[in-house]
Amino acid sequence: MKKWLIPVIIILVIIFGVYRWAVGFNNNAVKLNENVSEAWGNVQTSYQRRNDLIGNLVNTVKGAADFERKTLTDVIEARSKATQTTIDPANITPEQLKQFNEAQGGLSSALSRLLVTVERYPELKANENFLKLQDELTSTENTIQTARTRYNEAIKPFNNHVKTFPNSILAGLFNFEGKPYFDAEAGADKPVDVEFDFN
């Protein structure tokens, strides 16, 4: 064997090894990214179900003759703002996720005020459609929490894959960036004030 052939073989083996590493990294990152996208789709589906239910709930409440219009208007406006906030899961940023979370939190807050106000209307509280929608809404809130948790669980392996060395080198070359986690809504760390109005 000629001496010049040994370095060529070593260089070819190194090139092939780097190629296999890059292909393996990219394919694994794509699979993990798809898992994140699927989990995000489930989050959006859960929020969409809540938005649909809120529409039905608002229409049911509108049927109450003397119901407070401002409370309904607040819910309708918050729902509109929440549905206008969209995120591309492939390019999600912490700022976008925060904006999405704030819009959904505003809707949750307006909805809570609506449900508290309903307590003053016995005929509405006894309405079978309203009670059914309220139960479905509670179930959907639990589904949203589960979807958000699973989204965070899908992000962890992706972030571990693209942020650890030496994969972080290839992540920059292939434009894979770490993705933000869902945080608690603003104010969730503060105690809740519970007031009972018996008048």
Side-chain angles (χ1 to χ4, degrees), residues 90-104:
N91 301 314
I92 194 167
T93 65
E95 293 79 23
Q96 289 174 325
L97 193 57
K98 182 180 179 195
Q99 182 183 14
F100 180 84
N101 211 14
E102 285 173 358
Q104 295 300 333

Side-chain angles (χ1 to χ4, degrees), residues 74-121:
D74 289 348
V75 172
I76 292 167
E77 287 174 1
R79 179 178 177 239
S80 174
K81 184 177 180 185
T83 56
Q84 290 172 358
T85 307
T86 57
I87 295 177
D88 175 13
N91 301 314
I92 194 167
T93 65
E95 293 79 23
Q96 289 174 325
L97 193 57
K98 182 180 179 195
Q99 182 183 14
F100 180 84
N101 211 14
E102 285 173 358
Q104 295 300 333
L107 179 55
S108 295
S109 177
L111 186 59
S112 295
R113 288 192 304 274
L114 172 70
L115 295 176
V116 166
T117 306
V118 162
E119 292 297 316
R120 294 189 292 231
Y121 295 85

Side-chain angles (χ1 to χ4, degrees), residues 37-196:
S37 295
E38 178 186 17
W40 179 250
N42 292 338
V43 168
Q44 288 184 309
T45 299
S46 299
Y47 277 117
Q48 182 61 52
R49 175 170 165 71
R50 179 175 78 163
N51 289 335
D52 294 345
L53 286 171
I54 289 171
N56 292 336
L57 191 69
V58 166
N59 288 334
T60 302
V61 171
K62 276 183 186 176
D66 58 350
F67 197 81
E68 291 139 24
R69 296 287 171 213
K70 173 152 180 25
T71 307
L72 282 175
T73 303
D74 289 348
V75 172
I76 292 167
E77 287 174 1
R79 179 178 177 239
S80 174
K81 184 177 180 185
T83 56
Q84 290 172 358
T85 307
T86 57
I87 295 177
D88 175 13
N91 301 314
I92 194 167
T93 65
E95 293 79 23
Q96 289 174 325
L97 193 57
K98 182 180 179 195
Q99 182 183 14
F100 180 84
N101 211 14
E102 285 173 358
Q104 295 300 333
L107 179 55
S108 295
S109 177
L111 186 59
S112 295
R113 288 192 304 274
L114 172 70
L115 295 176
V116 166
T117 306
V118 162
E119 292 297 316
R120 294 189 292 231
Y121 295 85
E123 71 281 357
L124 189 55
K125 284 184 359 183
N127 181 313
E128 197 173 313
N129 287 338
F130 178 80
L131 293 174
K132 183 178 176 191
L133 286 168
Q134 197 173 11
D135 286 344
E136 286 187 40
L137 200 54
T138 301
S139 171
T140 300
E141 291 295 335
N142 292 335
T143 303
I144 288 170
Q145 179 60 35
T146 300
R148 287 173 57 152
T149 300
R150 289 186 179 153
Y151 172 76
N152 282 348
E153 289 170 354
I155 284 180
K156 185 177 181 181
F158 176 81
N159 282 351
N160 285 340
H161 184 66
V162 300
K163 289 183 175 182
T164 55
F165 184 81
N167 288 353
S168 57
I169 296 168
L170 288 179
L173 295 174
F174 289 117
N175 292 322
F176 284 111
E177 295 179 16
K179 298 187 184 297
Y181 289 94
F182 250 116
D183 286 332
E185 292 178 7
D189 57 337
K190 296 180 180 128
V192 177
D193 291 330
V194 179
E195 294 179 22
F196 294 100

